[in-house]
């Protein structure tokens, strides 16, 4: 499933802590996603939607 989230771009600009605060997930989960231990596609729809919005804001 393509989530449309570019984590490479996101992690160039934000830390795991910043991502966690922006999308209301734990810092540990954000770091696990960054480290590719957790796939974004495994997350709930609300979190994926928040990640897409954050990604869109970073791209503009």
């Amino acid at each position: 499933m393509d989530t449309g989230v570019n984590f490479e771009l996101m992690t160039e600009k934000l830390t795991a802590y910043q991502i966690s605060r922006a999308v209301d997930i734990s810092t540990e989960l954000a770091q696990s996603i960054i480290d590719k231990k957790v796939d974004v596609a495994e997350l709930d729809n609300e979190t994926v939607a928040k990640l897409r919005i954050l990604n869109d804001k970073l791209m503009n």
Side-chain angles (χ1 to χ4, degrees):
M1 175 173 123
D2 180 21
T3 59
V5 177
N6 180 347
F7 248 96
E8 286 73 33
L9 170 69
M10 205 177 291
T11 57
E12 286 176 10
K13 297 184 177 194
L14 300 173
T15 66
Y17 175 77
Q18 291 169 315
I19 294 168
S20 74
R21 301 298 292 169
V23 297
D24 196 28
I25 59 175
S26 71
T27 304
E28 293 81 13
L29 178 56
Q31 189 63 54
S32 292
I33 296 167
I34 292 167
D35 295 339
K36 298 183 177 165
K37 294 178 182 176
V38 173
D39 189 342
V40 175
E42 298 173 15
L43 302 173
D44 63 272
N45 291 336
E46 182 181 345
T47 301
V48 172
K50 289 177 183 179
L51 286 168
R52 280 190 197 127
I53 292 167
L54 179 60
N55 189 70
D56 290 345
K57 288 181 180 184
L58 290 172
M59 292 181 77
N60 292 324

